[in-house]
Amino acid sequence: MDTNATYGEQFLAEVRSLVGGNPFDYAATKRVKAMGQAGIIDLLRKNAGATYADIQRLKTAEDPKELALYLYEAQRRSPQTPTAASMALYWLYMFQ
């Protein structure tokens, strides 16, 4: 990973490695790349079911990989989006 990569870019790289490809459309990818830790945590709170306790723990996570793993695991637990492939639909809905 490029050492100059933004927090959002690092987060996206880890999500891609977890799901085996890019599950995001161009617009969503561009928005997430520009986000910092606080923006990504806010998305997890609003769209991945992050609880208050989860958010407090994620705020201390310096590595974006921890947030990507949280999103991946939340998707795996969700009955509405049981597969990594459906993650793309989830993100498209989230950014509307």
Side-chain angles (χ1 to χ4, degrees):
M1 171 53 53
D2 180 7
T3 57
N4 295 323
T6 66
Y7 196 91
E9 289 169 330
Q10 293 175 50
F11 171 80
L12 285 171
E14 184 62 20
V15 169
R16 287 179 183 134
S17 73
L18 289 169
V19 301
N22 187 1
F24 313 105
D25 70 357
Y26 178 78
T29 298
K30 193 171 178 180
R31 281 183 285 241
V32 173
K33 278 184 179 180
M35 290 181 177
Q37 180 185 25
I40 294 171
I41 288 173
D42 190 49
L43 290 177
L44 295 176
R45 180 186 61 80
K46 290 178 181 174
N47 301 289
T51 65
Y52 179 81
D54 293 336
I55 291 167
Q56 297 311 307
R57 182 181 54 79
L58 293 172
K59 283 181 180 179
T60 65
E62 293 182 22
D63 191 346
K65 291 178 180 183
E66 292 181 54
L67 277 67
L69 185 59
Y70 180 87
L71 174 64
Y72 178 71
E73 291 297 325
Q75 292 304 302
R76 291 186 56 202
R77 288 189 301 269
S78 174
Q80 291 84 18
T81 53
T83 65
S86 62
M87 211 167 151
L89 294 175
Y90 169 83
W91 278 82
L92 289 173
Y93 171 77
M94 184 174 81
F95 284 111
Q96 288 184 354

